[in-house]
Amino acid sequence: MNTNNPLDSIYFISLPETFKMSEEAFKIDPTIQLPVQKKDKDAPGVFNPEEITVEQILAGILTVLAYDKKNANLDYYRSIIKKAKPNIKQELCEAAILKTKNEDYDIAEEIFLALLGYDPEDMAIILNMALFLDQRADSYRRGGLNEDADAYDADAEYYYQQAMSAESPLPEAFFNAGFFFMKQRKYREAKDSFETYIALTCDISDEDLGENGVYRKERAQEIVNNIKNQNMDDVRFKNAYDLISSGQEEKGLEEIRIFLQNNQKVWNAWFLLGWGLRKLERYSDAAQAFNEALKCGGDENADTYNELSLCYIQEKDFSGAEKCLKCAFALEPENTKIISNLGYLALAQGKKTEARQYFTAVLEYDPNDSIAANELMKLEQE
């Protein structure tokens, strides 16, 4: 995460009344100082007022809207930028989405924060912010930056909750939040979100929903049924996940074993058992649990094969690990975590050239993957 203070990049000045912000000659209030974005060439504390451009002022206003939420003049700044750039919201939305697609996350986040500052009541912006943070967390987790990923997940959940609490319900917020909670293994929250989405769209005809809308409603119902049928919203299942993910593996394993006594066919429960055991370095027991998960339906989930491969690598069952990783790769061929583990498997087998190829492939998908970059550096130094 960026720790620099963006507000250090602006200064506040008073402009003469004759300064024009647009072709309509929008008059400014000379009693209120305006934020101005510094130029790269500006020396500290030195600037020429005659060289200030409208673009610098607008950029300064956007920076204040993004990062200075308690500024007393926010409404005034909003009125200036709205007058000078009537289509600013649409332009910023398009720019933020493009930057997100290109994985230029720092710039995308700045734009989304500016959008929130410009119109903090727009629930569509709040939902887009949640989706952005959700995607950024996934990217960091693929790159092995789990602490940053957890932080962005927490921020994403905050914005999802805001979007779901809108006075005029936003169905898309509940649908997307449902998948977010599924990734977090918060199945009770996921079920509630999908059920709310179904309720909000139940009176809309299939014709009005469109093909994509009908698919989403059917998909939501399918997930709700699956959670109910497998009792994944059970309190013990949730407790087990929370305990294991927070480092209390032994307590978490007690919870999931009690859950499994009455839910022997729930692959997610076997996966959770295997995950806890692997974290305790009980690789043989963990492998047995992951294999049970595969038998109960986890064979359609790349993470099951990936986790099982890690156990096999530790037990030096390289053949078994390779089979698992190939199955995982077939399910998710662009998953950099799986490709990295293929690299680690090659390293464990002494195949350095092959390992180099895998880590290089990871960086082609994600140039910011620190784990792959470090492994390549080690290989180059040998």
Side-chain angles (χ1 to χ4, degrees), residues 127-128 131 160 170-179 190 193-202 204 206 208-225:
L127 176 56
N128 279 332
L131 292 167
Y160 276 127
L170 195 64
E172 294 301 303
F174 292 93
F175 184 79
N176 287 292
F179 283 104
S193 298
F194 285 123
E195 285 180 336
T196 303
Y197 174 77
I198 294 167
L200 290 172
T201 57
C202 66
I204 303 175
D206 289 354
D208 289 337
L209 277 174
E211 184 177 346
N212 189 48
V214 171
Y215 166 78
R216 288 189 172 201
K217 191 160 69 171
E218 291 175 349
R219 180 69 176 131
Q221 188 63 63
E222 178 186 350
I223 294 172
V224 168
N225 293 341

Side-chain angles (χ1 to χ4, degrees), residues 44-115:
V46 178
F47 68 94
N48 183 353
E50 300 299 326
E51 295 181 355
I52 293 173
T53 65
V54 171
E55 286 70 24
Q56 280 181 273
I57 296 173
L58 296 180
I61 289 175
L62 288 174
T63 300
V64 171
L65 292 178
Y67 298 104
D68 191 3
K69 305 298 185 186
K70 296 183 179 180
N71 191 294
N73 300 310
L74 289 180
D75 286 339
Y76 174 63
Y77 294 149
R78 290 185 187 112
S79 70
I80 289 178
I81 205 164
K82 185 175 183 180
K83 181 69 175 180
K85 292 280 188 179
N87 298 321
I88 188 68
K89 190 193 293 192
Q90 181 180 345
E91 292 174 9
L92 289 177
C93 282
E94 291 174 355
I97 292 170
L98 179 61
K99 291 296 182 183
T100 302
K101 287 181 179 178
N102 293 335
E103 298 188 357
D104 192 349
Y105 293 125
D106 287 339
I107 300 298
E109 184 167 359
E110 288 180 8
I111 298 172
F112 275 121
L113 287 172
L115 275 165

